[in-house]
Amino acid sequence: MEINQCVIIGSGPAGYTAAIYASRANLKPILIQGMQPGGQLTTTNDVENYPGYPNGITGPEMMQDLQKQAERFGTQVIFGTVTKVDLSKKKGGVHKIIIDNKDQIHTKTVIISTGASAKYLGLDSEKKYMGSGVSACAVCDGFFFKNQDVVVVGGGDSAAEEATYLANLCNKVYLLVRKDEMRASKIMQKRVFDTKNLEVLFNHETLEVMGDKTVKEIRVMDTKNKQEKIINATGFFLAIGHNPNTEIFKDQLTMDKTGYLITQPDRSLTNLPGVFASGDAQDSIYRQAITAAGSGCMAALDAEKYLAELH
Ligand code: NDP
């Protein structure tokens, strides 16, 4: 079987940036798109914080452009999902990648950019308004709700951070916490309680996101007294955590307790030679398209260096 130089798993900003660099370095990369071609950005509307787009760009358009740019230099893009990997532990060893439980690719280097998936509540109404008022990223979409009223769901550090971030932009922020306490660190909680236009509603659950073309109201329930009420809000932000898409690497690569891949400090190197990680699969902190793209570049440069050292 042919042994490739470089296989990239995942098609978000990290994967495509790795592909642009790897193909320009003549590594002839194969990029496997995964379950959600284009990654998380395909669920956002306008991207206004990615440098180089003074008028903004839609998430799906940006991902199409990144794909075209990678293909222009010879990246082979495969539609399919990696279902299994058999990673070599030896320097210079061959890694086996299985796609859709049938096709196998062999490669000297693997760049993992499988991203993370935001958790959602699982309501049909939430799905309906995805990108039209429902978002899982305040930094990405908060700006569109300037001077408006919004709801944030969650009680952890992310929820505290997103709620205070939104309070700077919005008229009023309601933070729905399902228990009678927040899980967020004390300092983050203090920040929440010190913010005037931020109201924390403990013991509150979301029943329905309502509106016409966009979100207008949120139907919630106070679980203590079972009372329902309607909150007028145009934005509904989920901050109930993310899941890194790293399940297939379990038992082979080192990860933290949540499943984020652990790389060497300031590098993309994992615990196995020739296996590099980039983007949200290894970043629980920044989670931005630009930081993912930057780390995709790092992974491609690290892969190139690794291959050069084998000769
Ligand atoms: P966490 O898992 O810490 O918190 C998730 C929150 O969402 C919890 O309060 C949980 O409630 C709530 N939640 C989960 N499911 C539901 C649901 N179905 N309905 C309503 N609420 C729900 O996730 P985070 O993303 O906040 O943080 C992840 C990690 O990243 C943490 O270790 C955190 O400390 C870290 N982080 C650090 C930051 C910082 O230091 N600046 C910023 C952001 C994150 P419950 O408590 O009831 O389970």
Side-chain angles (χ1 to χ4, degrees):
M1 189 179 269
E2 184 191 350
I3 300 173
N4 296 281
Q5 298 290 302
C6 179
V7 165
I8 298 162
I9 310 176
S11 56
Y16 279 129
T17 306
I20 293 164
Y21 274 77
S23 49
R24 292 188 79 249
N26 208 23
L27 303 187
K28 300 186 175 58
I30 297 174
L31 180 146
I32 304 152
Q33 282 186 314
M35 230 142 27
Q36 190 182 7
Q40 289 184 83
L41 274 191
T42 55
T43 63
T44 356
N45 268 341
D46 292 308
V47 180
E48 293 186 329
N49 54 5
Y50 198 93
Y53 295 99
N55 302 315
I57 183 166
T58 70
E61 258 179 305
M62 186 172 137
M63 297 322 298
Q64 278 165 18
D65 282 353
L66 280 173
Q67 179 173 347
K68 276 189 217 148
Q69 195 174 350
E71 285 176 328
R72 180 178 152 214
F73 300 112
T75 301
Q76 187 190 339
V77 177
I78 294 181
F79 178 73
T81 302
V82 174
T83 45
K84 193 169 181 263
V85 293
D86 181 5
L87 303 173
S88 168
K89 295 187 180 66
K90 240 184 29 221
K91 188 164 182 183
V94 173
H95 307 291
K96 295 175 190 143
I97 312 291
I98 291 117
I99 305 167
D100 296 329
N101 291 315
K102 48 182 184 359
D103 304 319
Q104 209 176 112
I105 301 183
H106 289 185
T107 178
K108 285 187 191 163
T109 66
V110 182
I111 295 177
I112 298 167
S113 14
T114 44
S117 307
K119 290 187 200 162
Y120 288 89
L121 297 174
L123 302 170
D124 287 341
S125 58
E126 172 193 55
K127 232 181 260 157
K128 179 176 166 193
Y129 291 107
M130 204 83 87
S132 313
V134 172
S135 166
C137 180
V139 177
C140 317
D141 298 324
F143 184 76
F144 304 113
F145 299 89
K146 214 169 174 180
N147 302 324
Q148 299 172 37
D149 292 357
V150 299
V151 165
V152 177
V153 183
D157 282 327
S158 294
E161 200 167 71
E162 306 234 329
T164 46
Y165 175 85
L166 287 166
N168 257 329
L169 294 168
C170 300
N171 177 56
K172 168 104 194 207
V173 177
Y174 298 90
L175 179 60
L176 302 187
V177 179
R178 67 176 171 183
K179 287 190 188 140
D180 58 3
E181 57 177 8
M182 288 181 75
R183 190 195 294 194
S185 53
K186 290 287 173 258
I187 186 163
M188 298 292 274
Q189 290 195 37
K190 182 172 178 338
R191 227 169 273 169
V192 165
F193 297 124
D194 286 350
T195 305
K196 275 205 188 80
N197 59 338
L198 204 173
E199 185 178 338
V200 183
L201 300 171
F202 286 106
N203 303 302
H204 273 69
E205 273 179 15
T206 310
L207 299 176
E208 193 183 1
V209 181
M210 303 189 300
D212 39 44
K213 282 199 177 119
T214 57
V215 172
K216 297 271 188 292
E217 296 171 330
I218 315 295
R219 189 160 64 87
V220 300
M221 186 170 71
D222 184 333
T223 50
K224 269 214 155 147
N225 56 21
K226 304 283 178 228
Q227 291 274 311
E228 284 189 22
K229 66 178 165 214
I230 300 283
I231 300 175
N232 291 312
T234 49
F236 183 73
F237 288 84
L238 282 311
I240 58 173
H242 283 78
N243 287 323
N245 303 319
T246 55
E247 187 66 20
I248 50 168
F249 309 109
K250 231 168 110 187
D251 305 326
Q252 297 186 64
L253 293 179
T254 311
M255 38 184 93
D256 69 12
K257 63 178 189 321
T258 332
Y260 285 96
L261 296 171
I262 294 176
T263 55
Q264 281 184 16
D266 302 324
R267 301 293 301 275
S268 69
L269 282 66
T270 66
N271 56 305
L272 292 182
V275 181
F276 306 90
S278 60
D280 287 11
Q282 52 85 56
D283 171 19
S284 63
I285 299 170
Y286 301 105
R287 300 195 292 239
Q288 299 301 300
I290 187 67
T291 49
S295 71
C297 159
M298 287 162 64
L301 294 177
D302 286 337
E304 193 190 340
K305 184 165 181 281
Y306 170 84
L307 288 166
E309 282 170 5
L310 292 181
H311 297 302

